[in-house]
Amino acid sequence: MDPRGTKRGAEKTEVAEPRNKLPRPAPSLPTDPALYSGPFPFYRRPSELGCFSLDAQRQYHGDARALRYYSPPPTNGPGPNFDLRDGYPDRYQPRDEEVQERLDHLLCWLLEHRGRLEGGPGWLAEAIVTWRGHLTKLLTTPYERQEGWQLAASRFQGTLYLSEVETPSARAQRLARPPLLRELMYMGYKFEQYMCADKPGSSPDPSGEVNTNVAFCSVLRSRLGSHPLLFSGEVDCTDPQTPSTQPPTCYVELKTSKEMHSPGQWRSFYRHKLLKWWAQSFLPGVPNVVAGFRNPEGFVSSLKTFPTMKMFDYVRNDRDGWNPSVCMNFCAAFLSFAQSTVVQDDPRLVHLFSWEPGGPVTVSVHRDAPYAFLPIWYVEAMTQDFPSPPKTPSPK
């Protein structure tokens, strides 16, 4: 007998719920890759709706002032010799990770542009709004063995908003981050400084400070299966040399990785790191990832370009590799699961989706602090210009 059937039967005998009780949480969603191996789902080519910048003080600006320009070392020269440890820690201004920004910067952009979104009136009410990084975590979930996640979801004026919640274990790891890992994080940002210029045609200046408050973000529209998406993600730089200067095709993602010397090291790199690189760049339609390979002393002496659409080729014949269809099918299934679970339209109501490796995605329901994430300023501004529904009584 199906154990779920008996549970449903037991529920019928319960006393009627008081009206103010939270909705009953939904069933769970499995994450086993074998369940998602069908054909690749529809994914609309992402188009850029706009952008915004965050300055050295993490202040929002609705423009491209923080955009940097790809400026690699000349190919005919001696090749790179970047010291990624240079300037650490004296020329390093890391962002304060204690500040939980949630969706706030994206909501700022949305508030500014809500009246003229392509897709016409009513498009936003059907859409899912989130950060690209949250979608990346969903894509890689069927293959993730280490880190769980939590996503808070609220429906407001029809739109489903998804905002990540730092898990207790992620918080503990962040607070106990070893010095070596902090330096490795710095080195990734330092690599960007060696590869990017402030103006097209000018040269990088690695003598300044590395300030990770500064960010340029692209805002994109896409659709996965039946789910319209509006998401934003940080962009490292634009390539002024690309034949198409049309974003997001002109964007370049910059990465660093350990130098590799054996086939086993490369195989592990393709199975794990390349999956994350693919997911992160495929979603916004960024065509290339340029990787700098660092030696144990922290110097980059070789660069390699990985076209996003060719990354899967490296694991296509590896039985322990990843499959883009599985990633996208799981993400589409999660979005359907979230859309059907979060039915009540209430910015103060949160469905918290939680996942730990080896298990299914589970749901719990909460109201207000600490999980509610749509700010009052956003809710009030959106409510003021939202047409009230007609005053006809709805059938009960």
Side-chain angles (χ1 to χ4, degrees), residues 200-314:
S202 67
S203 296
D205 173 19
S207 70
E209 78 163 1
V210 168
N211 185 324
T212 63
N213 287 297
V214 179
F216 169 79
C217 295
S218 171
V219 181
L220 300 125
R221 169 194 178 184
S222 184
R223 181 161 61 88
L224 173 54
S226 60
H227 305 292
L229 299 174
L230 188 153
F231 62 94
S232 177
E234 196 173 333
V235 169
D236 290 334
C237 56
T238 183
D239 184 354
Q241 302 296 312
T242 42
S244 155
T245 48
Q246 180 102 333
T249 325
C250 53
Y251 293 147
V252 180
E253 178 67 33
L254 299 172
K255 294 288 187 192
T256 62
S257 201
K258 270 194 313 206
E259 244 174 26
M260 283 165 291
H261 303 285
S262 71
Q265 287 176 329
W266 279 104
R267 194 158 53 244
S268 173
F269 166 80
Y270 296 144
R271 283 177 187 171
H272 305 292
K273 198 166 263 197
L274 211 54
L275 162 61
K276 294 198 166 150
W277 292 5
W278 171 79
Q280 185 186 6
S281 290
F282 177 76
L283 282 165
V286 172
N288 290 298
V289 175
V290 176
F293 291 99
R294 50 178 163 76
N295 66 17
E297 287 71 54
F299 281 80
V300 164
S301 54
S302 69
L303 302 173
K304 184 170 165 66
T305 298
F306 293 91
T308 305
M309 298 310 271
K310 295 197 172 147
M311 290 180 182
F312 174 52
D313 293 344
Y314 290 101

